[in-house]
Amino acid sequence: MALSNVRICFVGDSFVNGTGDSQCLGWTGRICSAAIKQGHDITYYNLGIRRETSADIAGRWLEEVSRRLPEDCDRRIVFSFGVNDTTIENGKLRVELSKTKENTQQILSVAKTSFFVLMVSPPPIAEIEQNSRVETLSQELAIICQQLKVPYLDVFTPLQKSEVWLKEVAANDSYHPNAAGYLEFANLVQNWDAWQSWLNS
């Protein structure tokens, strides 16, 4: 059965935004385009902002989604963030791991009381030391989501093995891929049981 009057906000950072994609779709645009082609009535909002950390997102997400998800529609949110938290600036992490976990716990705890919620892990980049921190963070986010019963998709592990993703990230800015890399990302979400359940609920 096709969904009707569904509004989905994708909240996060540059990877949610689709930065680097010459087709300006990213993974979020691709999965929503595919869903609409399947006959689902979806309104899609991309709320990805470059360089934003979990702290930035914690401060803005509720106001932004509340404006776009009125109570008379099917209200859904997909969160994805974390890479910026693990960046070192001026000799220190932008956001300490314990604080990222605290921010995530708060965001998801509030979100799931009013909205259907999914979370997607941060992806790998081309910087080895930072990737180690991203991987650790991804594992911690998985634990939080499991505790809160929020479906969580690990894209870090499969994308770290993707030649297409890694090649495009290295050829670009060491962080963001182009269209083919985002297609790899989109396919992971597209084939995720939780996303498919959303479309068929």
Side-chain angles (χ1 to χ4, degrees):
M1 188 177 73
L3 295 175
S4 62
N5 196 25
V6 172
R7 301 191 189 186
I8 306 176
C9 287
F10 291 82
V11 182
D13 51 23
S14 56
F15 296 102
V16 168
N17 171 261
T19 300
D21 183 358
S22 58
Q23 296 179 11
C24 297
L25 289 170
W27 62 271
T28 60
R30 283 179 170 81
I31 64 172
C32 287
S33 175
I36 288 170
K37 287 175 183 175
Q38 292 169 9
H40 299 294
D41 174 19
I42 290 175
T43 301
Y44 151 64
Y45 297 103
N46 189 313
L47 302 179
I49 298 180
R50 295 188 71 170
R51 284 185 51 78
E52 284 221 335
T53 66
S54 62
D56 299 315
I57 292 162
R60 72 174 171 91
W61 78 269
L62 184 56
E63 180 187 2
E64 292 191 3
V65 303
S66 296
R67 289 171 177 266
R68 293 165 175 84
L69 305 179
E71 292 187 8
D72 62 352
C73 69
D74 187 332
R75 309 189 295 170
R76 308 186 183 200
I77 307 173
V78 180
F79 290 101
S80 185
F81 52 79
V83 172
N84 293 316
D85 291 48
T86 68
T87 302
I88 292 178
E89 284 188 352
N90 303 316
K92 64 178 183 178
L93 282 174
R94 289 189 66 197
V95 183
E96 292 290 340
L97 178 58
S98 59
K99 186 61 178 175
T100 302
K101 290 165 61 178
E102 185 181 315
N103 291 335
T104 304
Q105 182 94 25
Q106 182 214 8
I107 290 167
L108 297 180
S109 295
V110 173
K112 69 190 291 274
T113 63
S114 301
F115 309 97
F116 294 109
V117 180
L118 300 178
M119 186 162 192
V120 175
S121 80
I125 58 172
E127 211 280 311
I128 294 173
E129 286 188 14
Q130 186 171 354
N131 249 2
S132 178
R133 296 191 294 274
V134 175
E135 183 174 23
T136 298
L137 174 57
S138 176
Q139 294 165 351
E140 293 292 337
L141 296 180
I143 293 169
I144 292 169
C145 286
Q146 183 178 27
Q147 291 170 342
L148 293 174
K149 294 183 170 54
V150 171
Y152 181 77
L153 177 65
D154 169 24
V155 297
F156 182 93
T157 303
L159 289 179
Q160 200 174 30
K161 300 171 185 172
S162 165
E163 289 185 18
V164 173
W165 176 272
L166 297 175
K167 183 177 178 181
E168 286 202 346
V169 168
N172 191 4
D173 60 359
S174 296
Y175 283 87
H176 307 97
N178 204 317
Y182 279 113
L183 178 59
E184 295 264 303
F185 195 136
N187 286 338
L188 293 171
V189 183
Q190 186 78 32
N191 294 314
W192 181 24
D193 289 347
W195 175 255
Q196 287 300 321
S197 294
W198 254 23
L199 296 184
N200 296 309
S201 62

